[in-house]
């Protein structure tokens, strides 16, 4: 199912155009008909400098996509587009300054006309204002179980995780099982209270914490017995398994919140 969903997304203009831009130079250089027309060369081969740039690009993409926690084909592509397009820009300028300028103009126009598609599906997420807002919700009714994501708007791993968390909220939300999000970039007090760093080099973004009876029960990523942060890939299945969401959902559904019925006051 995730693969089919990713393949459908590839048909959207943003992904289709960015794939073309990312492959534009190597296709132009390796396809004889295009190469003969664009470069006016009889031999269509990559020289040593071009090969070095492409090899360096592959290393950068592998490192950056691992750091951003990309777990699907779409998230890998989204994370790599910037690097592939910049590499193509360098290659086009290296081959011909005029072609480089044309590519730069197309690059900018596509970014303006075809922004990255945002998640459009259902979600049942409560956006909380800092540590105080979260604490108020936790204490309002301790019978409610909360799964809370701490994130920043600028972090690529948080951006990749956002649609996954929204899908989980739509699937599992109950009256006594709720999903919340706290932007620690805007509300650093929450990051301080729950020991989550919002630095640009932080490996704690995003952080997801499960609260029961107003207290923290489980979090990802977590630290081991030596105090070292254990890496966690924020995929749909990993979140379900790490927080045992299926059983949490079943228990919450079996034990709904009982409301006190108001007794009608009889008129004398």
């Amino acid at each position: 199912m995730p693969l089919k969903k990713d393949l459908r997304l590839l048909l959207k203009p943003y992904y289709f155009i960015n794939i073309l831009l990312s492959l534009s130079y190597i296709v132009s250089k390796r396809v004889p008909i295009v190469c003969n027309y664009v470069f006016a060369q009889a031999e269509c081969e990559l020289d040593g400098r071009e090969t070095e740039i492409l090899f360096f690009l592959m290393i950068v993409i592998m490192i950056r996509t691992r750091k951003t926690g990309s777990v699907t084909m779409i998230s890998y592509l989204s994370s790599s587009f910037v690097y592939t397009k910049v590499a193509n820009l360098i290659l086009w300028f290296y081959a011909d300054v005029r072609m480089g300028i044309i590519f730069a103009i197309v690059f900018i126009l596509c970014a303006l006309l075809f922004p990255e598609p945002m998640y459009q599906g259902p979600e049942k997420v409560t956006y909380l204002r800092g540590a105080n807002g979260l604490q108020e919700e936790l204490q309002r009714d301790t019978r409610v179980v909360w799964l809370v994501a701490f994130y920043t708007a600028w972090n690529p791993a948080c951006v990749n995780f956002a649609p996954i968390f929204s899908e989980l909220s739509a699937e599992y939300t109950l009256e006594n099982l709720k999903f919340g999000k706290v932007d620690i970039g805007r509300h650093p007090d929450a990051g301080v209270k729950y020991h989550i760093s919002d630095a640009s080099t932080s490996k704690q973004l995003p952080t997801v914490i499960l609260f029961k009876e107003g207290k923290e029960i489980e979090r990802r990523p977590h630290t081991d017995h030596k105090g070292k942060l254990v890496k966690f890939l924020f995929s749909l299945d990993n979140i379900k398994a790490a927080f045992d969401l299926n059983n949490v959902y079943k228990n919450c559904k079996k034990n709904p919140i009982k409301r006190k019925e108001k007794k009608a006051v009889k008129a004398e």
Side-chain angles (χ1 to χ4, degrees):
M1 289 299 291
L3 180 59
K4 289 182 179 179
K5 189 184 295 184
D6 285 354
L7 291 174
R8 285 197 297 270
L9 284 173
L10 288 179
L11 298 176
K12 292 192 174 183
Y14 169 81
Y15 295 104
F16 182 72
I17 290 172
N18 276 278
I19 289 172
L20 289 179
L21 290 175
S22 299
L23 297 175
S24 62
Y25 189 84
I26 194 168
V27 169
S28 299
K29 195 75 174 183
R30 295 294 295 168
V31 177
I33 297 175
V34 181
C35 177
N36 294 335
Y37 178 77
V38 175
F39 299 101
Q41 294 178 349
E43 295 183 3
C44 297
E45 296 287 341
L46 296 169
D47 63 24
R49 180 61 62 84
E50 292 167 336
T51 304
E52 287 176 5
I53 293 172
L54 290 172
F55 184 72
F56 179 72
L57 170 66
M58 287 190 293
I59 294 174
V60 169
I61 291 173
M62 288 174 64
I63 294 172
R64 294 305 301 173
T65 50
R66 283 178 64 86
K67 284 187 176 181
T68 57
S70 301
V71 293
T72 65
M73 178 176 64
I74 288 297
S75 60
Y76 268 106
L77 286 174
S78 298
S79 300
S80 64
F81 279 150
V82 173
Y83 307 105
T84 56
K85 288 187 291 186
V86 169
N88 273 270
L89 183 62
I90 295 170
L91 288 167
W92 280 114
F93 268 110
Y94 173 73
D96 189 324
V97 174
R98 293 169 298 177
M99 296 300 294
I101 293 171
I102 293 172
F103 184 85
I105 293 171
V106 174
F107 186 154
I108 295 169
L109 286 175
C110 288
L112 295 173
L113 297 174
F114 303 102
E116 184 174 359
M118 301 298 291
Y119 175 75
Q120 300 294 327
E123 72 166 23
K124 295 180 180 178
V125 177
T126 302
Y127 290 85
L128 305 163
R129 295 185 177 182
N132 291 334
L134 173 56
Q135 195 61 31
E136 286 176 8
E137 289 295 337
L138 293 176
Q139 298 302 321
R140 191 187 306 278
D141 192 338
T142 56
R143 294 171 295 178
V144 177
V145 177
W146 281 89
L147 190 68
V148 181
F150 297 80
Y151 73 103
T152 61
W154 50 263
N155 184 275
C158 295
V159 174
N160 289 337
F161 179 59
I164 294 173
F165 195 74
S166 294
E167 286 183 43
L168 288 169
S169 71
E171 183 179 352
Y172 287 98
T173 293
L174 295 169
E175 188 180 9
N176 54 348
L177 174 57
K178 296 184 179 181
F179 290 72
K181 292 184 78 171
V182 180
D183 185 348
I184 62 172
R186 296 181 61 187
H187 305 286
D189 59 309
V192 173
K193 181 171 182 176
Y194 293 100
H195 310 290
I196 303 168
S197 171
D198 63 347
S200 59
T201 56
S202 175
K203 296 180 181 180
Q204 294 178 283
L205 295 173
T207 289
V208 179
I209 301 179
L210 181 69
F211 295 92
K212 288 184 180 180
E213 298 180 355
K215 298 178 182 179
E216 179 181 332
I217 300 298
E218 192 71 66
R219 75 160 63 193
R220 291 293 186 276
H222 65 291
T223 54
D224 59 18
H225 64 282
K226 294 181 180 179
K228 186 178 180 181
L229 199 68
V230 178
K231 188 175 180 180
F232 183 78
L233 293 177
F234 285 89
S235 68
L236 196 71
D237 291 335
N238 285 353
I239 290 289
K240 290 180 181 181
F243 296 98
D244 197 18
L245 275 182
N246 288 325
N247 284 327
V248 171
Y249 177 82
K250 287 178 183 177
N251 290 334
C252 289
K253 199 164 186 179
K254 287 180 182 178
N255 302 285
I257 295 175
K258 295 180 180 179
R259 303 292 181 186
K260 293 181 179 179
E261 295 181 0
K262 294 182 178 179
K263 294 182 179 180
V265 180
K266 294 182 179 179
E268 293 182 356

